[in-house]
Short mmCIF file of all heavy atoms in Angstrom, two decimals:
data_model
loop_
_atom_site.label_atom_id
_atom_site.label_comp_id
_atom_site.label_asym_id
_atom_site.label_seq_id
_atom_site.Cartn_x
_atom_site.Cartn_y
_atom_site.Cartn_z
N MET A 1 -24.41 -8.37 29.66
CA MET A 1 -23.36 -7.99 30.61
C MET A 1 -21.98 -8.18 29.97
O MET A 1 -21.78 -9.03 29.12
CB MET A 1 -23.45 -8.84 31.88
CG MET A 1 -24.74 -8.59 32.68
SD MET A 1 -24.79 -9.60 34.18
CE MET A 1 -23.40 -8.92 35.06
N VAL A 2 -21.04 -7.35 30.41
CA VAL A 2 -19.68 -7.42 29.88
C VAL A 2 -18.96 -8.61 30.48
O VAL A 2 -18.98 -8.83 31.69
CB VAL A 2 -18.91 -6.13 30.20
CG1 VAL A 2 -17.47 -6.25 29.70
CG2 VAL A 2 -19.60 -4.93 29.59
N ASN A 3 -18.35 -9.41 29.66
CA ASN A 3 -17.57 -10.55 30.10
C ASN A 3 -16.17 -10.06 30.44
O ASN A 3 -15.32 -9.95 29.57
CB ASN A 3 -17.54 -11.61 29.00
CG ASN A 3 -16.91 -12.90 29.47
OD1 ASN A 3 -16.09 -12.91 30.38
ND2 ASN A 3 -17.28 -13.99 28.81
N PHE A 4 -15.94 -9.74 31.74
CA PHE A 4 -14.66 -9.16 32.12
C PHE A 4 -13.51 -10.15 31.97
O PHE A 4 -12.37 -9.76 31.72
CB PHE A 4 -14.73 -8.64 33.57
CG PHE A 4 -15.53 -7.38 33.69
CD1 PHE A 4 -16.83 -7.42 34.19
CD2 PHE A 4 -15.01 -6.15 33.30
CE1 PHE A 4 -17.57 -6.26 34.29
CE2 PHE A 4 -15.75 -4.99 33.39
CZ PHE A 4 -17.05 -5.04 33.90
N SER A 5 -13.80 -11.45 32.12
CA SER A 5 -12.77 -12.46 31.93
C SER A 5 -12.30 -12.46 30.48
O SER A 5 -11.09 -12.51 30.20
CB SER A 5 -13.31 -13.84 32.31
OG SER A 5 -12.36 -14.84 32.05
N LEU A 6 -13.26 -12.37 29.56
CA LEU A 6 -12.92 -12.31 28.14
C LEU A 6 -12.16 -11.03 27.84
O LEU A 6 -11.16 -11.03 27.11
CB LEU A 6 -14.20 -12.38 27.30
CG LEU A 6 -14.04 -12.21 25.78
CD1 LEU A 6 -13.19 -13.33 25.20
CD2 LEU A 6 -15.41 -12.17 25.11
N TYR A 7 -12.62 -9.92 28.39
CA TYR A 7 -11.97 -8.64 28.17
C TYR A 7 -10.53 -8.68 28.66
O TYR A 7 -9.62 -8.19 27.99
CB TYR A 7 -12.74 -7.54 28.89
CG TYR A 7 -12.12 -6.18 28.79
CD1 TYR A 7 -12.26 -5.41 27.64
CD2 TYR A 7 -11.38 -5.65 29.85
CE1 TYR A 7 -11.69 -4.15 27.53
CE2 TYR A 7 -10.79 -4.40 29.76
CZ TYR A 7 -10.96 -3.66 28.60
OH TYR A 7 -10.38 -2.42 28.51
N LYS A 8 -10.31 -9.28 29.82
CA LYS A 8 -8.96 -9.37 30.38
C LYS A 8 -8.06 -10.24 29.49
O LYS A 8 -6.90 -9.89 29.24
CB LYS A 8 -9.02 -9.97 31.79
CG LYS A 8 -7.66 -10.06 32.48
CD LYS A 8 -7.80 -10.59 33.89
CE LYS A 8 -6.44 -10.70 34.57
NZ LYS A 8 -6.57 -11.22 35.97
N ARG A 9 -8.62 -11.33 28.98
CA ARG A 9 -7.83 -12.21 28.12
C ARG A 9 -7.43 -11.48 26.84
O ARG A 9 -6.28 -11.55 26.39
CB ARG A 9 -8.64 -13.46 27.78
CG ARG A 9 -7.84 -14.52 27.00
CD ARG A 9 -8.72 -15.64 26.55
NE ARG A 9 -9.63 -15.20 25.50
CZ ARG A 9 -10.61 -15.97 24.98
NH1 ARG A 9 -10.81 -17.18 25.45
NH2 ARG A 9 -11.39 -15.50 24.03
N GLU A 10 -8.37 -10.77 26.25
CA GLU A 10 -8.07 -10.03 25.03
C GLU A 10 -7.01 -8.96 25.28
O GLU A 10 -6.12 -8.75 24.45
CB GLU A 10 -9.35 -9.39 24.48
CG GLU A 10 -10.34 -10.39 23.93
CD GLU A 10 -11.50 -9.71 23.22
OE1 GLU A 10 -11.51 -8.45 23.15
OE2 GLU A 10 -12.40 -10.41 22.72
N THR A 11 -7.12 -8.29 26.42
CA THR A 11 -6.16 -7.24 26.75
C THR A 11 -4.75 -7.81 26.89
O THR A 11 -3.77 -7.23 26.41
CB THR A 11 -6.57 -6.53 28.05
OG1 THR A 11 -7.88 -5.99 27.91
CG2 THR A 11 -5.59 -5.41 28.40
N VAL A 12 -4.65 -8.98 27.53
CA VAL A 12 -3.35 -9.61 27.72
C VAL A 12 -2.75 -10.02 26.38
O VAL A 12 -1.57 -9.78 26.11
CB VAL A 12 -3.47 -10.84 28.66
CG1 VAL A 12 -2.18 -11.64 28.66
CG2 VAL A 12 -3.82 -10.40 30.07
N VAL A 13 -3.56 -10.63 25.51
CA VAL A 13 -3.07 -11.06 24.21
C VAL A 13 -2.62 -9.85 23.39
O VAL A 13 -1.55 -9.88 22.76
CB VAL A 13 -4.16 -11.85 23.45
CG1 VAL A 13 -3.69 -12.15 22.02
CG2 VAL A 13 -4.48 -13.14 24.19
N LEU A 14 -3.42 -8.79 23.39
CA LEU A 14 -3.03 -7.58 22.66
C LEU A 14 -1.75 -7.00 23.22
O LEU A 14 -0.87 -6.57 22.45
CB LEU A 14 -4.16 -6.55 22.74
CG LEU A 14 -3.85 -5.18 22.10
CD1 LEU A 14 -3.59 -5.34 20.61
CD2 LEU A 14 -4.97 -4.19 22.37
N ALA A 15 -1.63 -6.97 24.55
CA ALA A 15 -0.42 -6.42 25.17
C ALA A 15 0.81 -7.21 24.77
O ALA A 15 1.88 -6.64 24.49
CB ALA A 15 -0.58 -6.42 26.69
N VAL A 16 0.69 -8.54 24.69
CA VAL A 16 1.82 -9.37 24.29
C VAL A 16 2.21 -9.07 22.84
O VAL A 16 3.39 -8.93 22.51
CB VAL A 16 1.47 -10.87 24.45
CG1 VAL A 16 2.55 -11.74 23.81
CG2 VAL A 16 1.32 -11.22 25.93
N LEU A 17 1.19 -8.95 21.97
CA LEU A 17 1.47 -8.64 20.57
C LEU A 17 2.20 -7.30 20.43
O LEU A 17 3.18 -7.18 19.70
CB LEU A 17 0.16 -8.60 19.78
CG LEU A 17 0.26 -8.31 18.28
CD1 LEU A 17 -0.80 -9.10 17.52
CD2 LEU A 17 0.09 -6.82 17.97
N LEU A 18 1.74 -6.31 21.18
CA LEU A 18 2.36 -4.98 21.10
C LEU A 18 3.77 -4.99 21.68
O LEU A 18 4.66 -4.31 21.16
CB LEU A 18 1.49 -3.96 21.83
CG LEU A 18 0.10 -3.71 21.23
CD1 LEU A 18 -0.70 -2.77 22.12
CD2 LEU A 18 0.21 -3.16 19.82
#
Side-chain angles (χ1 to χ4, degrees):
M1 295 181 64
V2 177
N3 188 334
F4 287 102
S5 176
L6 174 63
Y7 177 79
K8 182 177 179 180
R9 186 187 70 186
E10 291 188 1
T11 303
V12 170
V13 173
L14 175 62
V16 170
L17 181 145
L18 295 175

